[in-house]
Amino acid sequence: MEIIYTDNLAKLVTNATLVIDTCVIVDTTKSPEFLALMRRMKGEYNAALVSIPAVKQEVLSVADNKKEYETLKESIKALDVVFLPSAVEDKFEREGMKFSIAMRRSRYVKDPSFVDKLLLAIPYLYRESVEKIFVVTSNHKDVPLDIFDRVGFIARDNGKEFSQVGIYKFNQEKFSKITQKI
Amino acid sequence: MSKNEFRQEIERARERQNAREYTDDEAEKIRQKAAKVFEHYESDMVKRMSEEMKDRMHGNYLYR
């Protein structure tokens, strides 16, 4: 298994908040190297891995018996992802109008699910509370590049599967442009 | 909300989850078990999964 990532990865993730998508959690189960790298982000680089309860539920929805459910639950715990409470949804309710319109106007995504929208809104909602916050996903076509920049990536290749995880940063300038005249 | 407060909010949420540190060995053992769950799932359910759900679970590797 080979893992390749951009040179800036350590600098990017040091003390950063990383918003983790479902596919990234799934990816960590497929590769010991990728799991180790994600765990290093927290242990070595002091990054906080966060997500929303809906993402956790998407992962758990795979289980078709109690044992599988508990296994997946534990694998999420071992990754140490913190699921932010419903406060994120409340905040979106209060402050998310502009972001919602921006997503609708984006020429990159069509009909984003609420999970996608909420996850992507986190860097926007907390932009003044955290210096470095990135969305980490391999679900590239749901990230609007007219609101976000891809600032790094991690690729993993095991000969069978080739996966790329993108690290996306909210871009205030792009956001202001897309939300002009709302 | 200050920068510190956000980090504290994350820490509080982590405590509520009863999080604990896993050793690398423990994490790897759990990963192997979880991988089997996904193998089981993919051998069966993926065929019945919507495109949207496939993206949510496995991402998509679109180049731009």
Side-chain angles (χ1 to χ4, degrees), chain B residues 9-64:
Chain B
E9 189 177 307
I10 293 172
E11 269 315 303
R12 280 196 297 273
R14 186 173 182 272
E15 277 166 30
R16 280 196 298 272
Q17 283 175 206
N18 296 319
R20 72 163 176 92
E21 298 289 337
Y22 284 73
T23 65
D24 290 343
D25 279 352
E26 281 177 319
E28 173 53 20
K29 276 181 192 150
I30 295 161
R31 184 202 67 77
Q32 288 171 13
K33 286 185 196 167
K36 281 187 185 144
V37 177
F38 280 104
E39 275 168 31
H40 172 213
Y41 173 68
E42 283 164 19
S43 63
D44 172 30
M45 286 299 289
V46 159
K47 294 172 201 145
R48 290 187 275 139
M49 238 194 217
S50 68
E51 287 304 313
E52 190 200 332
M53 207 55 195
K54 277 183 192 163
D55 284 353
R56 298 288 311 137
M57 288 292 173
H58 304 292
N60 47 61
Y61 311 128
L62 194 72
Y63 287 94
R64 282 187 192 133

Side-chain angles (χ1 to χ4, degrees), chain A residues 21-23 28-30 39 46 58 62 68 80-81 83 113 115-116 126 129 138-141 143, chain B residues 1 3 6-7 14 17 22-24 28 31 35 40-42 52 55-57 59-60 63-64:
Chain A
D21 199 2
T22 309
C23 43
T28 60
T29 70
K30 297 189 171 186
R39 280 171 49 83
N46 194 35
E58 281 184 337
V62 165
E68 286 189 351
D80 212 354
V81 180
F83 294 92
S113 69
V115 179
D116 277 332
Y126 291 95
S129 316
S138 48
N139 202 0
H140 306 291
K141 75 177 187 194
V143 184
Chain B
M1 184 187 279
K3 288 181 172 125
F6 183 61
R7 199 73 183 208
R14 186 173 182 272
Q17 283 175 206
Y22 284 73
T23 65
D24 290 343
E28 173 53 20
R31 184 202 67 77
H40 172 213
Y41 173 68
E42 283 164 19
E52 190 200 332
D55 284 353
R56 298 288 311 137
M57 288 292 173
N60 47 61
Y63 287 94
R64 282 187 192 133

Side-chain angles (χ1 to χ4, degrees), chain A residues 93-112:
Chain A
E93 182 75 25
R94 289 194 310 271
E95 304 166 24
M97 180 193 70
K98 258 188 165 181
F99 191 82
S100 185
I101 292 170
M103 288 288 284
R104 168 58 62 208
R105 286 183 175 184
S106 170
R107 62 192 172 87
Y108 287 94
V109 292
K110 49 177 186 180
D111 300 327

